[in-house]
Amino acid sequence: MPMITRCYLEITNVCNLECMFCPKTKRARRTLSPAEFDSLTDRLRGKVKFLYFHLMGEPLLHAHLPAFIAMAREKGFIPVLTTNGTLLSRARGVIDALPHKVQISLHAHEGNGMDNLEQYAGDVMRFAEEAASRGIIIVLRLWNQGGYDSANGRLMDLLAQYVPRPWGERYDGWRLAENIYLEFDNMFEWPDSERDEYAAEESFCYALRNQIGVLADGRVVPCCLDHDGDIALGNLFEQPLEEILASPRAVAMYDGFTRHEAVEPLCRRCGYATVTKRFRK
C-alpha cells in the first residue's frame, strides 16, 4: 500500500475544555495504555509518515505523552502534537521528547470565554520560545476567522511582547521568529450526521489518500473530522491496516472522491471540505 502522509492517532478523547466551536464526542471516555499505543503504532509502522497525537481530546492530559513521542520517533514516525495550549506550563517533558511540530490552537481561549488572556499568552510563548530553540516547529493557530475572533488583535499584541514586530508575512499568516509561526484560517462547521446535506455539484477530499484517523478504541476512520466514528472502517487492534483500507466501504469512498463524489452521508454534511471548497484536484 502507498505511504499515508498523516495519521491522527487519538491517545485520549478526554479534554479539559468545552470549546464552543468543537463538536465534542458522544463516545465513552477512553485513554490509550502504553501497551495499546505500542500495539497500534506497530501496525502503523512503515505505512504512515506523520503521526498526529490528536483527533478528539487534549493530548497533554495523557501522563505518558513524552514516552509516546519518543516511541513514535524510534519507530520511524514524525510526531506532531495539536493542543489547546492551556497545559503547556507543565509540558517540559514534551519538549525533551522533541516532537517535530506542536500546533497550538489559540482560538480555544476565546471559544471558552476565559478571561486570563495575559497568563495564557505568556504560557504559550514561554513554551514556544524554549521549544523553538530546540528545533521544534511551533504553529500558533487562529482558526476562528468569521467566528469567535474578537480577541485576536489583543492576543497578537500580547504575542508581540515576546517576539516584537515586524513579523515576516506568509501566505497563511506570519513568521514571528525562527521556528515560530502564526497561522490564520476560517472557522468551519464540523461534519454532523444530523445536519442537512450541503448542496454541492462535486466533492473531493484527501481522506484515505493522504490521511486516516485512529480513535482511542482502535477504530479506523477516514479523516480527522470523524469525531464520533460514523465512518468506522475496521479496528486496528483486530485487523491489519491493509485489510481495513481494502474493505468495500473504504474502497467505495476512495473511488467516489476520485469521481469527485461524496458517497458517505457524513461527507455530504462536512462544512470543512464542501462549503469552503478547500480541496482541489
Side-chain angles (χ1 to χ4, degrees):
M1 58 175 281
M3 176 75 77
I4 293 172
T5 307
R6 290 172 289 170
C7 175
Y8 295 84
L9 177 56
E10 184 183 74
I11 62 173
T12 180
N13 61 14
V14 179
C15 189
N16 63 319
L17 296 184
E18 289 285 336
C19 294
M20 290 182 283
F21 52 79
C22 177
K24 319 297 187 297
T25 179
K26 302 181 183 72
R27 293 177 284 128
R29 293 160 65 96
R30 198 177 193 286
T31 296
L32 289 182
S33 70
E36 289 174 330
F37 181 83
D38 189 32
S39 173
L40 291 176
T41 50
D42 272 349
R43 289 179 176 265
L44 294 168
R45 190 202 302 237
K47 305 174 181 70
V48 169
K49 183 176 181 181
F50 290 92
L51 192 66
Y52 285 68
F53 290 74
H54 177 71
L55 202 146
M56 287 282 103
E58 169 51 56
L60 287 175
L61 287 173
H62 203 299
H64 299 286
L65 178 58
F68 285 2
I69 295 170
M71 187 186 301
R73 289 172 62 90
E74 291 168 2
K75 293 187 178 186
F77 300 102
I78 301 175
V80 179
L81 301 183
T82 300
T83 172
N84 59 45
T86 59
L87 304 176
L88 291 172
S89 61
R90 66 187 200 191
R92 176 55 196 250
V94 168
I95 295 177
D96 291 338
L98 294 177
H100 170 68
K101 180 167 65 174
V102 178
Q103 302 175 148
I104 304 172
S105 298
L106 301 183
H107 46 274
H109 186 277
E110 189 169 7
N112 281 274
M114 295 183 291
D115 57 6
N116 58 338
L117 193 59
E118 292 83 358
Q119 178 184 334
Y120 176 73
D123 288 345
V124 166
M125 290 309 299
R126 282 185 287 272
F127 174 90
E129 291 183 314
E130 182 177 357
S133 73
R134 301 281 297 276
I136 300 168
I137 298 171
I138 300 295
V139 178
L140 309 175
R141 304 200 303 190
L142 284 170
W143 285 19
N144 59 1
Q145 306 302 289
Y148 304 109
D149 56 1
S150 63
N152 284 6
R154 182 174 169 226
L155 182 54
M156 291 169 65
D157 288 341
L158 290 170
L159 301 182
Q161 294 180 12
Y162 294 86
V163 281
R165 298 179 174 100
W167 300 331
E169 190 170 358
R170 287 164 50 87
Y171 71 96
D172 59 354
W174 303 93
R175 179 185 182 273
L176 276 60
E178 185 174 2
N179 291 330
I180 304 179
Y181 302 90
L182 178 61
E183 175 185 282
F184 298 93
D185 208 337
N186 294 321
M187 188 174 176
F188 63 89
E189 291 186 324
W190 287 63
D192 185 341
S193 60
E194 297 180 1
R195 180 188 297 122
D196 290 340
E197 293 186 9
Y198 293 111
E201 293 181 2
E202 61 177 33
S203 181
F204 180 78
C205 180
Y206 286 103
L208 301 179
R209 275 176 161 77
N210 71 0
Q211 70 161 293
I212 58 171
V214 181
L215 303 181
D217 61 5
R219 287 183 293 164
V220 174
V221 293
C223 80
C224 62
L225 298 182
D226 189 356
H227 54 95
D228 263 332
D230 289 294
I231 312 176
L233 303 171
N235 194 300
L236 199 58
F237 283 129
E238 302 165 0
Q239 304 164 266
L241 185 61
E242 296 90 337
E243 179 181 310
I244 294 171
L245 297 184
S247 67
R249 189 176 189 183
V251 170
M253 186 176 181
Y254 185 101
D255 290 346
F257 282 129
T258 301
R259 302 188 305 270
H260 289 238
E261 176 187 350
V263 300
E264 286 286 343
L266 187 71
C267 299
R268 296 194 293 270
R269 294 166 169 83
C270 177
Y272 186 84
T274 306
V275 175
T276 61
K277 299 181 179 178
R278 294 166 189 263
F279 305 130
R280 307 287 185 180
K281 197 175 190 299

